[in-house]
Amino acid sequence: MTDRPTPRTDQPHDLVGIGIGPFNLSLAALAHGIPATTRPLTTAFYEQRPAFHWHPGLLIDGASLQVPFLADLVTLADPTSPWSFLNYLRTRDRLFPFYFAERFHIQRAEYDAYCRWVTHQLPGLHFNHQVDAIRWNNRHDCFEIDYTRLDADGEAEALGRTHTRNIALGIGTEPHIPAPLKPLAEAPSVPVLHSGDYLHHRQSILDAEHITIIGSGQSGAEIFLDLIRARPTGRENLHWLARTPAFAPMEYSKLGLEHFTPDYSHYFHTLPEAVRDELVPHQWQLYKGIDTDTIAAIHDELYRRTLHGGWPRTTLTPGVTVRTAEHIADTRIELHLEHTQQNTRTTLTTNAVILATGYHERPLDRILGGLEPHLHRDDSARPRIDHHFRLTLDPTITGNIYVQNAGRHTHGVGTPDLGLAAWRSATILNHLTGTTPYPLPQRTAFTTFGLTPTTPPVPTQNPDRIPLTHNH
């Protein structure tokens, strides 16, 4: 390991991205596509993982995206980009097979392969780089970023430092594990795992005598379907529990989907904080429901198992919360359950538990610890995020920190949706440059959200923008 190199503060990057998931990969692709009539943006993106992988534990055979293929990294901002999904198919000589397949929704595994194709060709992506700290350098008017370069085994190999005028945080989400089940999930010998690890442990889960899935979203449904298909009739031994009042379909009507438009994002951002906080939990079917095809496939499989008499050995119960849980033997787990509508309690003994309990935004505090005195927070101590997806900072910091998938409390249920990735990236780049390399639509929904229509914010013409017309 070496000391951090001497700063080159005379040549900071225009933009450094931290994390390379789909959202920052979209930003990197669109930043690379800004016409270099004068000079291109200087960018670098860092990721501590050795390569791009999108939820590898959930790439169940046949599982599809819940958004159309147009929700790739770039198309909804720049359909002519070389990084589009259609161009990916063209380079693989697969355009005609895709055309005849007539699939508007592609498989998750194909989306993962497409994103990895982009990372293999797009310059400026640095995997095996762990960002350790971010500071503001008042003297040189830029951010300092310390990182550790990792070797193939994930061990520290060298230290480094880079400088940038702007940062894009795309550190993603982390699995949410309910508090009563955390001790068991953290115990290596107990078969309690998050759905994100499902495929890594699928065979050992299948070997369990009785399996319980907790969570009523798409992941829970797909895992239940995969398990029941793999277990023989009469020996299913599956419990599927959910806190929601029903195993409900995702809101997928055409006007309902307009909650995932830029128009709704603008509207939501204008609402008072208290109204936003009250609104999101009531919109759970917009983002926590189940695809209707998956629901139909589950029902078809259950019905098929009744054809010769009897019912499958499965129990599907919504409206249930897990109060406590304990490991009672080498292969048994006891769940203490409560049914909220009946106000009743019982226990369930099972041999394996899969937590399809979703993901939470990863806290920004660790990586932004050096900037904490400069961060502005709302009444719930969450970072304030403006229309351009910037953290609100003290005026003494003239650089921008943009955030990806960290603003459901400010921009609504569409925040983690892949369909808004390209639009958000284009919004960030338009603001960062102070120009419009990616002209964005003035209207995106037939619905008018509110009596006073909101209008999209225009790029701020300010002295801190990236001067594309001349060099540093």
Side-chain angles (χ1 to χ4, degrees), residues 8-17 39-46 124-126 136 140-145 147 161-168 399-400 432 464 466-467 472:
R8 296 185 59 188
T9 51
D10 58 324
Q11 294 182 349
H13 291 290
D14 295 322
L15 174 67
V16 164
R39 69 166 185 85
L41 288 177
T42 58
T43 65
F45 288 76
Y46 298 96
L125 307 182
H126 304 277
W136 177 250
H140 297 286
D141 212 29
C142 66
F143 294 102
E144 291 181 348
I145 299 177
Y147 61 82
R161 177 176 293 161
T162 191
H163 299 79
T164 182
R165 300 178 181 210
N166 302 279
I167 293 173
N400 300 306
L432 183 146
D464 300 321
I466 301 301
H472 289 305

Side-chain angles (χ1 to χ4, degrees), residues 107-234:
Q107 292 193 11
R108 289 184 186 177
E110 188 166 27
Y111 178 80
D112 177 65
Y114 153 67
C115 288
R116 285 188 282 109
W117 169 77
V118 174
T119 65
H120 292 159
Q121 301 181 77
L122 189 66
L125 307 182
H126 304 277
F127 290 93
N128 275 328
H129 282 67
Q130 173 186 292
V131 171
D132 302 315
I134 301 172
R135 294 177 301 276
W136 177 250
N137 188 317
N138 281 308
R139 180 181 176 188
H140 297 286
D141 212 29
C142 66
F143 294 102
E144 291 181 348
I145 299 177
D146 289 342
Y147 61 82
T148 301
R149 191 171 73 240
L150 309 175
D151 63 19
D153 297 320
E155 299 296 327
E157 186 175 65
L159 301 177
R161 177 176 293 161
T162 191
H163 299 79
T164 182
R165 300 178 181 210
N166 302 279
I167 293 173
L169 292 178
I171 59 176
T173 56
E174 59 187 6
H176 169 60
I177 298 177
L181 288 151
K182 256 185 183 175
L184 297 183
E186 293 170 353
S189 61
V190 181
V192 176
L193 57 98
H194 191 268
S195 57
D197 292 322
Y198 170 64
L199 286 183
H200 305 314
H201 302 275
R202 181 176 183 270
Q203 190 54 55
S204 63
I205 293 294
L206 278 172
D207 291 340
E209 181 180 349
H210 184 278
I211 307 168
T212 300
I213 302 104
I214 299 175
S216 63
Q218 183 68 16
S219 296
E222 289 174 350
I223 290 172
F224 179 86
L225 180 60
D226 184 62
L227 288 172
I228 194 173
R229 283 173 170 171
R231 291 167 82 88
T233 299

Side-chain angles (χ1 to χ4, degrees), residues 213-289:
I213 302 104
I214 299 175
S216 63
Q218 183 68 16
S219 296
E222 289 174 350
I223 290 172
F224 179 86
L225 180 60
D226 184 62
L227 288 172
I228 194 173
R229 283 173 170 171
R231 291 167 82 88
T233 299
R235 292 170 52 196
E236 298 88 358
N237 292 336
L238 296 174
H239 252 76
W240 186 13
L241 307 175
R243 193 172 52 175
T244 54
F247 295 102
M250 183 170 289
E251 170 57 69
Y252 211 74
S253 66
K254 290 177 170 57
L255 289 179
L257 288 176
E258 291 193 340
H259 286 84
F260 299 93
T261 59
D263 280 11
Y264 185 76
S265 182
H266 297 317
Y267 161 76
F268 188 89
H269 193 272
T270 64
L271 295 175
E273 179 185 333
V275 176
R276 296 196 305 253
D277 288 347
E278 184 180 1
L279 190 55
V280 169
H282 291 93
Q283 296 177 323
W284 65 273
Q285 271 189 264
L286 289 171
Y287 62 99
K288 287 185 177 180

